[in-house]
Amino acid sequence: MNCSEALRLSPLLSRLLRQLSANASRGAAPGDDAYLYILLIMIFYGCLAGALILAYTRSRKLESKHDPYHLYIESDWSRRARLAAAAPPDCEGAEQLL
C-alpha cells in the first residue's frame, strides 16, 4: 500500500463510520425484518413437510415388508418351488400337490 492510498483510505473509513453510526441512531423502521420472519416461517414449514413425507414413505416401506398378505404369497411361492423340485417329473400326483 503506497502513501496515496493511505490518504484516500482515511476519509473513506471516517465517512463509512459516520454513515453506520447515523443508521444505528435512527433505528430500524417497523417492518424492516418482515422478510426475515417470512423466510424463517417458509423454512420451518418446508422442513416440516419434508419430515412428514420422509416419515410416511419410511412407514410404508416397513409396513409392506411385514404385511401378512405379502408374507403368505412369499411362503406359498417358496413352498410350491420346493414341492416342484422334490417331485419326480413323471409323477402324476405332483400337479395335485401344487
Side-chain angles (χ1 to χ4, degrees):
M1 180 157 103
N2 58 28
C3 295
S4 63
E5 288 180 7
L7 293 175
R8 286 188 297 172
L9 187 60
S10 178
L12 180 65
L13 289 177
S14 64
R15 189 171 6 139
L16 180 63
L17 181 61
R18 276 186 269 134
Q19 285 179 352
L20 288 175
S21 64
N23 287 342
S25 65
R26 258 190 286 161
D32 275 352
D33 294 332
Y35 70 92
L36 183 62
Y37 174 75
I38 292 170
L39 180 66
L40 289 175
I41 295 300
M42 288 176 62
I43 290 172
F44 171 74
Y45 281 114
C47 290
L48 181 65
L52 288 174
I53 290 170
L54 186 65
Y56 177 74
T57 55
R58 285 188 178 190
S59 72
R60 296 297 291 175
K61 284 181 183 177
L62 291 175
E63 179 181 311
S64 66
K65 286 182 181 177
H66 303 294
D67 188 15
Y69 180 72
H70 292 294
L71 293 175
Y72 167 75
I73 294 296
E74 182 181 331
S75 66
D76 188 44
W77 279 60
S78 62
R79 183 179 64 88
R80 285 182 184 225
R82 279 183 294 176
L83 288 175
D90 60 341
C91 182
E92 302 251 343
E95 291 178 6
Q96 292 176 353
L97 291 175
L98 297 176

